[in-house]
Amino acid sequence: MINACSTSSSSLADLEGAMTRLKTELGRLGLNLTVWDTQGQAAIPYAPCRLGAALGLSHGASPTEIQDLAMRITAEGQPATCTLPGGCCLIGVPIMHRRRVVGAATVCFPVKEMSEGPAGMQLCEQTRLDRKKIAAIVREHTRYSLTDADQLLQLLNWLISREQALHVAESELITLSTNLATTYEELSLLYRISSCMKVTGNPEDFLQTVITDLLEVMNIEGAIGLVYAHKPAVPDDILVLSGDMDLNCDQVHLLTATQIAHRLADTNRPMLDNHFVAPPGSGLGNAVKQLVAVQLVDNDPIGMLIGINKRAGDFDSSDLKLLSSIANQASVFLVNNRLYADLQDLLMGVLHALSATIDAKDPYTHGHSRRVAMLSRRLAERFGLPSPKVKQIYLAGLLHDIGKIGVPERVLCKEGRLTEEEYETIKRHPGLGAKILQGIRQLDEIIVGIISHHERPDGKGYPRGLKGEEIPLEGRIVGMADVFDAMTSDRTYRRAMEIERVISEIRRCAGTQFDPKIVDLLLGMDITALMKELRSEDSSLPLALSPEDFKT
Ligand SMILES: [Fe+2]
């Protein structure tokens, strides 16, 4: 094994597999490879060759002489060749890493000429064999002559370069493959996040999805998402946790408030701490050992995402990069969600203001539209209608008399009996209301409730004289709520009716003026509690609307 005790050795250690493979390959060619670091330490040691064993020598070439050549090669950075005193040939080339010499590869091999001349004599003395016998053994165990040295040097150079190039390619492939896997995970997560970024969605559900996915992709023990309160989208701080953390919600609040928020704000950069220690007495214990945190930002901080304790190793820049990408994506959703909530709030405010202007034309009808909206909503809920339809009916109740804007006040507020002509003017208000709202695409679905709220099952209503089930359900519900509130409120020409009389009147008119099913729903309610609720100041019930609410 290559000993990685110095910088050059650690570079050589990276090449250990390649060099071991090469030693085997060269061994088959009768070439004995040794690898050296720049300090002259044998990273892949010298092994005596087969010729030495055949001659009965305990060692072949002297490692010291090979070491000397290796040191010269690493110092000069050039290939070199020489003949050892024993007659073997030695060649060597530098090993480069990032344009730096990190060692030398030497190859020692016996040559046919070593049984001749002074080397042959030396062998005879060392082995006590005669020259003929020596020559026979050398012939059997040598493949090369001294003249082959240059070619073998070129071969060694080429093989070392090839192994290094292969090693670089393998390393790049591993890095590429790791990066690819990480990028795939990141993209998958970002895709999953963007697919649940429905602007009408609930920020808490969205945040929970994000941090649950973070656990897996970042391989962490726990994840935290925090969004600061911002009405109307986020009435209170949202804090969501995921994973196995030995922290309760209070501790998480403490952690974010005392250890993270100010550091993020002060540096305006993500936070990475692989040696987190909670201050003594902070109440945080030692559950958090590592953390990464990034801010969720609009123009100002709107919250943060936090990763707690890596399951293996430390947090690094790739974790920060991933968390930052997700925080950017999450911030886009949260900002859009805020804008959408603001728009909804504005729309509801405008619609309430619009309905209040109608009620304001006649002080006796103060709050009438709001109460009709409330009761319509209750009836729609009791009818079992889906949430979007309930909201449409609520809005139809709120705006049911919007057409009275086009009815002169002298007619609207007239005390005493209306003339035929005045009554005809009043009867135009459902149609006028539909005309006023028909330009607002988002309110298309509520027009049907407005235009039909004065129709009656017996066909004596207006404007079209529809009968029974011909009258849209929205109109039957809003119509019932409208009359109930009119009967239970003071008007210019009379006081509010007693509850008992209201109930008996409604029951009497079931099937003629009112839909019997709606009557049953209304009278099945606790009327006294209902009256109290309708007149409560808190009962304006602003409803959150979404585009789906306007689809049937
Ligand atoms: Fe009306």
Side-chain angles (χ1 to χ4, degrees):
M1 176 177 289
I2 288 179
N3 178 13
C5 60
S6 66
T7 311
S8 70
S9 292
S10 79
S11 302
L12 280 178
D14 291 343
L15 293 168
E16 182 180 2
M19 291 301 153
T20 306
R21 194 166 55 231
L22 187 57
K23 185 173 177 67
T24 310
E25 207 173 315
L26 288 170
R28 285 193 213 107
L29 298 173
L31 300 167
N32 190 0
L33 176 74
T34 309
V35 175
W36 307 83
D37 68 15
T38 51
Q39 311 298 312
Q41 300 294 313
I44 290 184
Y46 171 80
C49 64
R50 282 187 300 169
L51 176 63
L55 290 170
L57 297 172
S58 58
H59 59 82
S62 161
T64 311
E65 286 150 354
I66 305 176
Q67 186 188 38
D68 288 346
L69 185 76
M71 292 292 281
R72 205 175 92 208
I73 292 169
T74 54
E76 296 173 0
Q78 294 294 327
T81 177
C82 70
T83 307
L84 297 172
C88 289
C89 190
L90 184 62
I91 57 176
V93 296
I95 300 174
M96 310 294 288
H97 182 69
R98 293 179 182 161
R99 299 181 185 176
R100 204 164 49 83
V101 178
V102 294
T106 59
V107 162
C108 177
F109 56 93
V111 290
K112 296 185 187 337
E113 291 87 342
M114 64 190 292
S115 63
E116 301 161 6
M121 292 279 287
Q122 194 180 329
L123 277 178
C124 288
E125 284 170 22
Q126 282 178 325
T127 59
R128 298 186 184 283
L129 296 173
D130 63 29
R131 191 176 278 268
K132 227 175 161 180
K133 182 75 177 166
I134 295 279
I137 294 173
V138 167
R139 244 194 331 274
E140 187 185 343
H141 290 93
T142 54
R143 297 188 194 181
Y144 309 105
S145 298
L146 278 172
T147 51
D148 296 324
D150 282 348
Q151 272 189 309
L152 289 172
L153 186 66
Q154 283 180 25
L155 174 68
L156 178 64
N157 212 6
W158 180 80
L159 287 171
I160 293 285
S161 305
R162 184 200 66 176
E163 288 301 332
Q164 286 184 287
L166 271 175
H167 172 74
V168 169
E170 276 172 11
S171 304
E172 284 176 353
L173 199 63
I174 291 168
T175 309
L176 193 65
S177 151
T178 308
N179 288 347
L180 209 60
T182 310
T183 306
Y184 174 77
E185 287 290 333
E186 288 176 18
L187 284 176
S188 301
L189 175 56
L190 289 172
Y191 173 76
R192 284 201 297 278
I193 290 172
S194 55
S195 65
C196 63
M197 278 174 62
K198 196 174 166 191
V199 73
T200 55
N202 179 330
E204 188 165 348
D205 293 345
F206 170 76
L207 214 55
Q208 189 69 57
T209 307
V210 170
I211 64 159
T212 303
D213 279 346
L214 267 182
L215 281 185
E216 194 184 330
V217 176
M218 292 183 73
N219 194 25
I220 51 180
E221 288 179 6
I224 300 167
L226 173 65
V227 175
Y228 303 132
H230 184 275
K231 287 180 181 175
V234 183
D236 299 299
D237 282 1
I238 296 175
L239 178 71
V240 288
L241 316 175
S242 192
D244 306 317
M245 284 182 295
D246 195 15
L247 290 175
N248 58 37
C249 283
D250 288 343
Q251 286 175 309
V252 172
H253 271 299
L254 202 62
L255 175 73
T256 56
T258 63
Q259 305 298 315
I260 302 177
H262 69 281
R263 281 173 69 178
L264 290 175
D266 290 350
T267 60
N268 205 23
R269 297 179 61 178
M271 175 179 166
L272 187 155
D273 192 341
N274 280 313
H275 307 285
F276 180 82
V277 179
S282 64
L284 290 172
N286 56 3
V288 181
K289 295 176 178 65
Q290 301 164 305
L291 66 84
V292 280
V294 294
Q295 282 185 321
L296 298 166
V297 181
D298 183 6
N299 288 323
D300 298 314
I302 56 174
M304 63 182 79
L305 294 180
I306 303 165
I308 302 284
N309 297 348
K310 195 92 174 159
R311 288 195 186 276
D314 284 344
F315 284 118
D316 59 24
S317 58
S318 63
D319 293 306
L320 270 191
K321 193 173 139 237
L322 173 62
L323 197 61
S324 299
S325 302
I326 290 162
N328 286 342
Q329 194 91 339
S331 297
V332 169
F333 166 81
L334 290 166
V335 169
N336 286 342
N337 187 262
R338 279 184 177 194
L339 291 173
Y340 188 77
D342 286 345
L343 279 175
Q344 284 187 91
D345 204 45
L346 177 67
L347 175 64
M348 287 310 296
V350 168
L351 295 182
H352 275 276
L354 206 55
S355 71
T357 58
I358 306 305
D359 295 352
K361 287 185 88 171
D362 180 351
Y364 278 93
T365 59
H366 175 71
H368 170 69
S369 299
R370 183 179 59 78
R371 291 191 297 274
V372 172
M374 284 263 322
L375 180 53
S376 299
R377 179 182 178 220
R378 289 273 176 269
L379 290 171
E381 283 170 346
R382 287 177 70 84
F383 203 93
L385 296 176
S387 172
K389 184 54 77 182
V390 170
K391 290 177 186 176
Q392 287 168 11
I393 290 176
Y394 172 86
L395 287 178
L398 192 66
L399 301 173
H400 72 284
D401 274 346
I402 191 78
K404 283 186 177 171
I405 284 176
V407 178
E409 261 177 68
R410 61 177 170 76
V411 178
L412 215 52
C413 305
K414 181 178 177 183
E415 294 185 23
R417 216 176 163 75
L418 296 175
T419 65
E420 191 71 24
E421 188 185 346
E422 286 167 339
Y423 188 52
E424 286 304 315
T425 307
I426 287 274
K427 282 163 67 176
R428 284 171 48 215
H429 81 270
L432 279 174
K435 267 190 182 170
I436 289 168
L437 297 180
Q438 71 187 4
I440 307 173
R441 184 179 51 80
Q442 289 84 347
L443 298 180
D444 276 355
E445 300 298 335
I446 71 162
I447 288 176
V448 66
I450 292 171
I451 201 165
S452 58
H453 77 277
H454 281 292
E455 299 289 355
R456 296 170 42 137
D458 60 7
K460 293 182 180 170
Y462 62 85
R464 288 186 286 170
L466 301 175
K467 284 185 179 173
E469 303 266 321
E470 288 173 357
I471 306 165
L473 179 61
E474 295 90 330
R476 284 179 265 153
I477 289 176
V478 174
M480 176 82 261
D482 186 19
V483 175
F484 177 84
D485 187 67
M487 288 196 285
T488 53
S489 305
D490 291 335
R491 286 291 161 97
T492 50
Y493 46 90
R494 60 154 173 79
R495 303 285 301 167
M497 289 164 68
E498 295 294 327
I499 292 290
E500 292 73 19
R501 199 174 149 215
V502 170
I503 293 172
S504 70
E505 195 63 17
I506 287 174
R507 192 164 280 137
R508 186 180 67 78
C509 297
T512 53
Q513 190 174 351
F514 311 119
D515 179 340
K517 282 192 294 249
I518 313 286
V519 168
D520 287 345
L521 291 177
L522 176 62
L523 299 185
M525 296 166 79
D526 179 342
I527 300 295
T528 309
L530 176 68
M531 296 277 294
K532 203 172 165 188
E533 184 190 339
L534 293 178
R535 277 160 176 77
S536 145
E537 283 302 313
D538 301 329
S539 60
S540 56
L541 283 185
L543 286 176
L545 302 175
S546 66
E548 285 72 17
D549 296 341
F550 299 102
K551 292 177 189 154
T552 45

